[in-house]
Amino acid sequence: MYTFHGDHDAPLYIGKSIHIRRRVMDHLCTPDEARLAAMTRRFSFVRTAGDIGAQLLEAQQVKLQQPLFNKRLRRNRRLCTITLERGELHIRNVHDAGDAATYGLFPSRYAAIEMLRDLADDHLLCYGELGIEKVTSGRPCFRHALRRCVGVCCDKESKEDHRQRLLTALIDRHVQAWPYTGAIGIVERTEDMQQIHVVRNWSYLGSADNKNAAKRLAKPTPWFDRDGYKILVRPLLSNGCELVDLSL
């Protein structure tokens, strides 16, 4: 990952490349980037063990430093997750979930609600109890009249039974969404360097240079958002990378 610095060492542009010298010369020789070249006072770079690490570091630093000439990646597009806390369902920013059990990763609150609607349809769950719709306490919801809800809204099913059925549905969907038992590491190597990028439930927890250090990473990085998700999902789904199981 490389950085163009201007006056007072302010970051002007952050990028990544396999061939840094060639890429920097492209910037300096392109007429459209003449202003960038004129403002540049210093250039720096950070080595990574592979392209995934470079992309993750680029996305992180663009969001943290907000360089003048970067347009892409600057906005932090937060991800949402579903949590069950003391029996109550919540849709939270993934970084606000704390130690609560999380189920799924979604690009928006709307996407999480749509998934809950699908679960409700498949498992006869109540929209009111899920917080999707407002219902009058003690009265059956509209879906109950259509036999699409067992009846927790009108005391025909206990809240605990409904909660257990919801938990089972979430676990089933969770297993489908994240096909591993816990955290896994994406391994990248060069002749003198190794990085393990730790992922759990599609959230990036950070990178480490050995397996023991990777196992100690437990929480999503503060900057991780939809851009980071897109960087990780492609190599994982294509089986185009070396993986190590960090749950063992």
Side-chain angles (χ1 to χ4, degrees):
M1 184 207 77
Y2 60 87
T3 304
F4 285 87
H5 301 269
D7 292 334
H8 310 295
D9 219 30
L12 299 175
Y13 183 82
I14 293 174
K16 63 95 184 174
S17 178
I18 296 175
H19 304 288
I20 288 186
R21 180 181 177 84
R22 184 188 307 166
R23 185 71 184 99
V24 170
M25 293 305 296
D26 287 342
H27 283 293
L28 298 179
C29 297
T30 302
D32 290 344
E33 298 189 66
R35 182 165 171 249
L36 170 62
M39 294 176 66
T40 298
R41 300 292 178 265
R42 187 174 75 87
F43 174 83
S44 65
F45 68 91
V46 177
R47 288 184 62 213
T48 63
D51 187 56
I52 296 172
Q55 290 184 67
L56 290 169
L57 187 58
E58 176 194 23
Q60 176 197 51
Q61 291 303 311
V62 168
K63 287 175 174 59
L64 292 177
Q65 299 193 50
Q66 297 288 299
L68 179 64
F69 286 90
N70 284 90
K71 302 301 181 185
R72 191 177 63 88
L73 299 178
R74 284 179 60 161
R75 188 162 59 93
N76 204 327
R77 300 181 294 175
R78 294 295 191 182
L79 292 162
C80 295
T81 189
I82 293 171
T83 67
L84 271 180
E85 303 165 61
R86 296 185 293 276
E88 293 188 9
L89 182 146
H90 300 277
I91 299 173
R92 300 193 185 282
N93 183 302
V94 68
H95 303 296
D96 297 331
D99 296 326
T102 60
Y103 302 91
L105 199 65
F106 307 93
S108 65
R109 181 179 179 84
Y110 174 80
I113 291 174
E114 286 303 295
M115 193 278 281
L116 288 175
R117 290 185 189 276
D118 289 342
L119 286 188
D121 291 341
D122 292 341
H123 297 272
L124 302 181
L125 299 169
C126 180
Y127 280 6
E129 191 68 16
L130 296 180
I132 297 175
E133 291 182 357
K134 290 185 177 181
V135 297
T136 302
S137 178
R139 297 186 61 181
C141 67
F142 179 71
R143 281 165 46 81
H144 178 65
L146 300 177
R147 298 184 179 180
R148 304 294 298 276
C149 162
V150 172
V152 65
C153 48
C154 54
D155 299 325
K156 291 188 176 180
E157 179 186 35
S158 70
K159 290 184 179 293
E160 178 59 23
D161 285 348
H162 186 275
R163 191 187 73 83
Q164 288 298 328
R165 292 196 303 110
L166 169 61
L167 182 60
T168 299
L170 285 171
I171 290 174
D172 287 346
R173 182 61 62 94
H174 180 67
V175 169
Q176 294 175 27
W178 179 245
Y180 304 98
T181 56
I184 58 100
I186 302 173
V187 183
E188 292 189 302
R189 291 190 183 91
T190 64
E191 292 182 358
D192 63 344
M193 189 177 187
Q194 172 180 276
Q195 286 183 306
I196 301 174
H197 312 298
V198 183
V199 190
R200 185 185 64 221
N201 190 28
W202 299 115
S203 288
Y204 173 58
L205 310 188
S207 298
D209 59 7
N210 63 77
K211 188 173 180 180
N212 288 334
K215 284 185 173 182
R216 291 195 290 270
L217 298 173
K219 294 184 178 180
T221 58
W223 60 270
F224 183 72
D225 67 354
R226 290 167 61 185
D227 296 314
Y229 172 80
K230 289 179 181 178
I231 293 168
L232 293 170
V233 71
R234 188 178 299 110
L236 285 174
L237 292 183
S238 66
N239 296 318
C241 54
E242 178 185 348
L243 302 179
V244 58
D245 190 346
L246 299 176
S247 64
L248 301 177

